[in-house]
Amino acid sequence: MVTEVINGNELQKIDPVFGQVSFDNHEQIVFCNDKDTGLKAIIGIHNTVLGPALGGTRMWKYANEWEALNDVLRLSRGMSYKSAITGLNLGGGKAVIIGDAKTEKTPEMILKFGEYVNSLSGKYITAEDVGTTTQDMDLIRDVTKFVTGVSVEKGGSGNPSPVTAYGVYMGMKAAAKYQFGSDDLGGKKVLVQGIGHVGETLVEYLAKEGADVQIIDINQARLEEVSAKYGVKIFTGPDLYAADVDIYSPCALGATINDETINKIQAKVIAGAANNQLANDAVHGQILKDRGILYAPDFLINAGGIINVYAEIVGYDSAEAMRRTENIYNTTLEIFGFSEQNGITTQAAAMSIAQKRIDDRKKENAAR
């Protein structure tokens, strides 16, 4: 799997869908448009070998439609590997709504999107993501049963962000164990980039353990609020990637580890919640390995959210969701060991194990 970040002008030179650099034999791509509500959305279904494609709906003000398509292709592909590596009987899907969630989202738009989800008859199951909320999922529930992340009051599992954060925390502790010899994060210098719902909860876990936490976000008011709430520092250096820290935790948007940043990174561990952190999996994963920086694959350690909403499908309780999420610690250590034994990057190791599970199931299905 190769993920590249390219600008809109470059994207327009490529065949619109099947020639997209992020197209990876996706099974289905659905373009949704509704003039009355202003809905413009794309649903990407990457793979359904293991089960229905489950993944959140992101609402974002993309620069153009090409960027939106590129994002949904990358995100849906990542969901396939996330479910596979976590042992869930789910495929990979994702959706994006083009627009500013703060100013353009309306109940009518969300309901119309839910109707499109329903038209796929369960091949895609949605959930919340950046720019959407539990309340939005409650609305979607009015028009389709193919939605998770519904509020507890309506019989769902609620906001998955805290469970996502717990999984990242477990993955970070496993990375510390492997890299530093102890999973004790007390005194470790950790830079958290992006303090949304997941990032803030991660900061809370780290602060309670006594880590030396610094935070950075584009929202200054949010920075000051979280800094005061947990007693953590706001990063003020000229370049966050060159920061003198032990652990860099990207928890905002993806591709922050790219050609411009990778050789600046001083941290010895990268473990965060953001999806698609490596702009190019093969190239940047190898550079990190060569530089002795331990990378905890994002789709492995940020799987707590999907573990949480999967409970709505198979019926286990919140305690079981947390137990399964805590096991990310053990899985992460196994991936690191597999990577070292085979002389490959941690990203390649995680993808190899996930792909094997998908391939094995495909063979089983064909033999029936």
Side-chain angles (χ1 to χ4, degrees):
M1 181 174 81
V2 175
T3 299
E4 296 180 10
V5 177
I6 50 184
N7 64 43
N9 289 333
E10 291 172 323
L11 280 169
Q12 293 182 48
K13 299 174 185 176
I14 302 170
D15 290 337
V17 178
F18 301 121
Q20 266 270 18
V21 69
S22 295
F23 182 78
D24 183 43
N25 293 310
H26 286 68
E27 293 179 10
Q28 193 170 357
I29 302 166
V30 181
F31 295 87
C32 315
N33 178 68
D34 183 67
K35 179 181 178 181
D36 293 338
T37 62
L39 174 71
K40 292 186 182 300
I42 309 172
I43 300 171
I45 299 172
H46 176 250
N47 189 288
T48 57
V49 169
L50 294 174
L54 191 152
T57 296
R58 173 171 296 186
M59 186 166 184
W60 190 256
K61 189 72 172 179
Y62 294 97
N64 51 60
E65 294 168 16
W66 303 89
E67 287 188 5
L69 176 57
N70 189 46
D71 204 26
V72 79
L73 290 173
R74 292 165 61 232
L75 291 167
S76 58
R77 181 179 56 190
M79 293 305 298
S80 290
Y81 294 113
K82 183 180 299 189
S83 292
I85 198 72
T86 313
L88 306 181
N89 292 321
L90 292 171
K94 206 79 171 184
V96 298
I97 297 174
I98 301 171
D100 188 331
K102 294 179 180 177
T103 60
E104 299 179 64
K105 183 170 65 174
T106 65
E108 292 77 17
M109 177 188 288
I110 295 299
L111 284 168
K112 180 56 68 173
F113 173 74
E115 291 176 11
Y116 277 103
V117 171
N118 194 58
S119 72
L120 294 171
S121 303
K123 190 172 185 181
Y124 169 65
I125 302 170
T126 196
E128 69 175 84
D129 198 89
V130 177
T132 59
T133 65
T134 303
Q135 290 70 36
D136 294 328
M137 299 308 111
D138 285 352
L139 271 179
I140 291 173
R141 174 69 84 180
D142 290 342
V143 293
T144 183
K145 63 181 180 181
F146 304 118
V147 56
T148 58
V150 175
S151 66
V152 174
E153 294 77 13
K154 289 185 176 289
S157 59
N159 181 2
S161 297
V163 190
T164 302
Y166 184 62
V168 174
Y169 176 58
M170 287 292 102
M172 186 182 292
K173 286 178 73 67
K177 172 77 172 177
Y178 204 85
Q179 185 76 314
F180 305 126
S182 170
D183 64 11
D184 183 2
L185 298 175
K188 286 288 185 288
K189 294 181 285 186
V190 184
L191 174 60
V192 179
Q193 177 189 23
I195 46 172
H197 296 303
V198 175
E200 179 183 346
T201 305
L202 177 61
V203 166
E204 181 179 6
Y205 279 120
L206 294 170
K208 284 181 178 178
E209 191 167 343
D212 180 1
V213 182
Q214 297 182 65
I215 56 175
I216 187 166
D217 194 278
I218 58 174
N219 187 328
Q220 186 63 34
R222 181 94 175 120
L223 275 175
E224 293 172 1
E225 175 191 348
V226 173
S227 173
K229 187 174 181 179
Y230 302 105
V232 298
K233 306 167 191 171
I234 297 174
F235 179 78
T236 56
D239 190 336
L240 72 96
Y241 301 104
D244 177 21
V245 295
D246 300 303
I247 301 170
Y248 164 51
S249 184
C251 295
L253 296 181
T256 59
I257 303 164
N258 52 54
D259 289 342
E260 295 180 6
T261 64
I262 194 164
N263 289 308
K264 299 178 183 179
I265 296 172
Q266 301 302 307
K268 290 301 180 185
V269 166
I270 298 175
N275 290 306
N276 301 311
Q277 293 167 27
L278 305 178
N280 185 303
D281 291 338
V283 172
H284 299 127
Q286 188 62 48
I287 293 173
L288 291 177
K289 182 177 184 296
D290 293 343
R291 294 192 60 212
I293 299 171
L294 183 63
Y295 175 64
D298 49 62
F299 66 86
L300 167 62
I301 70 170
N302 70 9
I306 195 169
I307 291 172
N308 188 64
V309 298
Y310 187 56
E312 296 180 36
I313 297 174
V314 298
Y316 54 72
D317 61 15
S318 59
E320 175 64 11
M322 291 299 282
R323 187 197 67 77
R324 292 186 180 207
T325 301
E326 186 172 6
N327 195 53
I328 287 174
Y329 179 97
N330 296 320
T331 306
T332 303
L333 287 176
E334 290 169 8
I335 294 297
F336 292 155
F338 185 82
S339 164
E340 186 173 349
Q341 291 164 13
N342 291 276
I344 58 177
T345 69
T346 55
Q347 179 78 356
M351 288 180 57
S352 173
I353 292 172
Q355 187 63 55
K356 184 178 185 304
R357 182 164 182 253
I358 294 171
D359 292 344
D360 288 349
R361 179 63 62 82
K362 190 173 183 177
K363 291 176 184 176
E364 290 174 11
N365 292 343
R368 290 173 182 168

